[in-house]
Amino acid sequence: MEAFYALKQSGNTDLASASLPSAPLPITSARLQTSADHLGVDGKAASDSLPANMQTPSTVGTPFPFAAALAGKHVKVDLPKPSKFSRIAVDSDIRAWLLRMHEYLTISGIEQNVWVVFASNYLDKAPLQLWEARKTQLAEQPEVLYSWDNFREWCLSSFSVHNHERHALSQLEKLRQTGTVAEYKAAHDVLAAQTTLPMQLRIFWWERGLNCHVANRLSQSSKRSGSLDDR
């Protein structure tokens, strides 16, 4: 240090300055940024790259499991298209079909005002014929025809096995012979096949629906057969 003052007093300032250690560079926060921060390992940098106004889709009124699926910001679910509903039978459950259809329509984001139009395109054979008849009947009431709640209730009442059997029984009870015996038998067999009636009741209802002339001849024939058997 004494040598330094001596040099300064001698006027040799360049030499004095050269002998002094240089000041360290200032340490800024930018120099302390690590590669981990840059990659967003702590989650901060990654979140800064997303738009600040991004909102989670509303799930109010959406049934489970769709609310859970729509709670995320990016949802992509590929569902197979619903199968066609073409027959009324024990192994063809209309409730299951309606549930699968509702899942597909919801996840696919199809607007609810066209749900009935979409779903009715997956009816076939007898159910489709009944739907076409309903369209004719409600042609002037589209708000009723294309309401999803009304469509669902109509499907349940028309295609569930229990309700369908009850409807067939009601028609069978009212069925009467108005043409030939062959025509009456064909109509009776179609309705009876949709029920679980035992054969004895089927025969009872068959005989009750015959016109009086045929029923009388059948009764007389049965009596003659019984008398022959007695001999």
Side-chain angles (χ1 to χ4, degrees), residues 56-57 59 65-78 106-108:
T56 301
T59 60
F66 312 120
L70 294 176
K73 295 179 180 178
H74 303 285
V75 178
K76 184 178 180 180
V77 180
D78 293 327
T106 304
I107 294 298
S108 299

Side-chain angles (χ1 to χ4, degrees), residues 17 21 29 144 146 155 168 171 190 207:
S17 299
S29 59
V144 176
Y146 294 108
C155 286
Q171 288 184 304
V190 168
E207 293 178 346

Side-chain angles (χ1 to χ4, degrees), residues 46-82:
S47 63
D48 291 342
S49 64
L50 295 175
N53 60 351
M54 180 177 287
Q55 299 180 355
T56 301
S58 175
T59 60
V60 176
T62 305
F64 183 84
F66 312 120
L70 294 176
K73 295 179 180 178
H74 303 285
V75 178
K76 184 178 180 180
V77 180
D78 293 327
L79 290 178
K81 288 186 177 181

Side-chain angles (χ1 to χ4, degrees), residues 29-39:
S29 59
R31 292 179 179 274
L32 293 178
Q33 184 180 20
T34 64
S35 60
D37 294 331
H38 178 69
L39 294 174

Side-chain angles (χ1 to χ4, degrees), residues 135-153:
K135 284 171 63 177
T136 302
Q137 180 184 6
L138 298 176
E140 298 182 359
Q141 303 179 59
E143 70 283 355
V144 176
L145 180 64
Y146 294 108
S147 162
W148 176 255
D149 290 337
N150 290 341
F151 177 77
R152 183 178 182 279
E153 291 301 320

Side-chain angles (χ1 to χ4, degrees), residues 10-230:
S10 66
N12 193 350
T13 55
D14 294 337
L15 182 60
S17 299
S19 62
L20 288 174
S22 60
L25 294 175
I27 300 176
T28 64
S29 59
R31 292 179 179 274
L32 293 178
Q33 184 180 20
T34 64
S35 60
D37 294 331
H38 178 69
L39 294 174
V41 173
D42 61 354
K44 181 178 180 181
S47 63
D48 291 342
S49 64
L50 295 175
N53 60 351
M54 180 177 287
Q55 299 180 355
T56 301
S58 175
T59 60
V60 176
T62 305
F64 183 84
F66 312 120
L70 294 176
K73 295 179 180 178
H74 303 285
V75 178
K76 184 178 180 180
V77 180
D78 293 327
L79 290 178
K81 288 186 177 181
S83 59
K84 292 213 170 190
F85 189 82
S86 58
R87 62 196 186 94
I88 305 167
V90 175
D91 59 346
S92 184
D93 188 359
I94 185 60
R95 292 181 181 275
W97 182 83
L98 285 169
L99 177 60
R100 286 192 296 270
M101 183 63 68
H102 187 268
E103 289 175 348
Y104 184 85
L105 294 169
T106 304
I107 294 298
S108 299
I110 298 174
E111 295 185 6
Q112 191 166 355
N113 61 346
V114 295
W115 277 16
V116 175
V117 176
F118 184 93
S120 61
N121 278 276
Y122 286 83
L123 297 175
D124 197 12
K125 297 182 180 178
L128 178 59
Q129 292 174 0
L130 290 175
W131 169 248
E132 292 297 335
R134 178 174 171 82
K135 284 171 63 177
T136 302
Q137 180 184 6
L138 298 176
E140 298 182 359
Q141 303 179 59
E143 70 283 355
V144 176
L145 180 64
Y146 294 108
S147 162
W148 176 255
D149 290 337
N150 290 341
F151 177 77
R152 183 178 182 279
E153 291 301 320
W154 174 77
C155 286
L156 291 174
S157 63
S158 301
F159 304 143
S160 63
V161 175
H162 174 71
N163 289 336
H164 189 69
E165 181 179 9
R166 184 174 59 185
H167 182 64
L169 287 172
S170 176
Q171 288 184 304
L172 193 60
E173 185 178 8
K174 298 174 184 177
L175 184 64
R176 296 293 183 270
Q177 179 191 353
T178 56
T180 65
V181 175
E183 291 172 344
Y184 170 68
K185 182 179 184 302
H188 182 276
D189 290 347
V190 168
L191 292 173
Q194 301 173 29
T195 71
T196 56
L197 285 174
M199 184 56 65
Q200 186 176 0
L201 282 178
R202 288 193 184 189
I203 295 174
F204 171 76
W205 282 17
W206 151 262
E207 293 178 346
R208 190 179 65 172
L210 291 169
N211 66 41
C212 58
H213 301 294
V214 176
N216 289 335
R217 289 201 302 269
L218 181 63
S219 176
Q220 293 172 3
S221 176
S222 298
K223 290 179 179 179
R224 284 198 300 269
S225 297
S227 61
L228 291 174
D229 291 338
D230 292 339

